Amino acid sequence: MKIFVFLFLLCLFSCGEIDCNTVKKGFYLNEYNLIVEGSNINEVWIKIRGTVPKTEKKTSIMVHNNWMVDLDEVEEGDTIIKRAGNLELVIHKKDTIIRHDWYCKGKPYK
């Protein structure tokens, strides 16, 4: 699934003007719920490895950073939640909840 999303977005970005309604389809159905064990975030990518709370299964995600998550914002022990059907990315910290809108063409998009 991750490779499909990457190839889908690569085709969109290489074909001229970006259509946000089309691009969001690559993110809209994704769902994550991970307790973070490690992260590598930059301006382009969000790479997180961790454990799914319900199953205790180890997994990882790698998605484009369309939420503009800061490089040092995610720490070990945080929980990352992205619900299917919703573009918002939520970071649960010990004492704070941080919500990020999804961005397209530099503007928040819902």
Side-chain angles (χ1 to χ4, degrees):
M1 178 67 177
K2 295 173 194 171
I3 292 173
F4 172 74
V5 171
F6 174 72
L7 292 174
F8 175 75
L9 293 173
L10 183 64
C11 288
L12 287 175
F13 291 124
S14 64
C15 297
E17 185 64 28
I18 297 170
D19 175 22
C20 293
N21 285 321
T22 303
V23 174
K24 85 173 186 179
K25 292 176 186 176
F27 292 89
Y28 204 61
L29 297 177
N30 291 347
E31 185 166 43
Y32 331 117
N33 186 353
L34 289 177
I35 298 172
V36 177
E37 294 174 1
S39 66
N40 182 3
I41 299 173
N42 60 39
E43 295 83 10
V44 179
W45 294 104
I46 296 174
K47 301 174 189 176
I48 296 176
R49 59 185 167 75
T51 305
V52 178
K54 286 184 179 180
T55 64
E56 296 187 16
K57 179 182 173 187
K58 303 248 184 222
T59 190
S60 62
I61 59 170
M62 179 176 163
V63 294
H64 277 273
N65 192 355
N66 285 63
W67 294 275
M68 299 192 174
V69 174
D70 291 333
L71 309 181
D72 298 324
E73 190 169 357
V74 177
E75 302 170 332
E76 187 175 331
D78 293 348
T79 302
I80 302 294
I81 300 172
K82 161 54 182 88
R83 304 253 185 246
N86 188 342
L87 293 172
E88 180 181 63
L89 182 76
V90 181
I91 303 167
H92 285 254
K93 297 185 149 305
K94 292 178 184 171
D95 60 352
T96 308
I97 297 174
I98 302 169
R99 300 179 184 280
H100 285 283
D101 289 328
W102 185 79
Y103 278 74
C104 185
K105 295 184 184 178
K107 298 177 184 173
Y109 190 88
K110 298 189 182 216

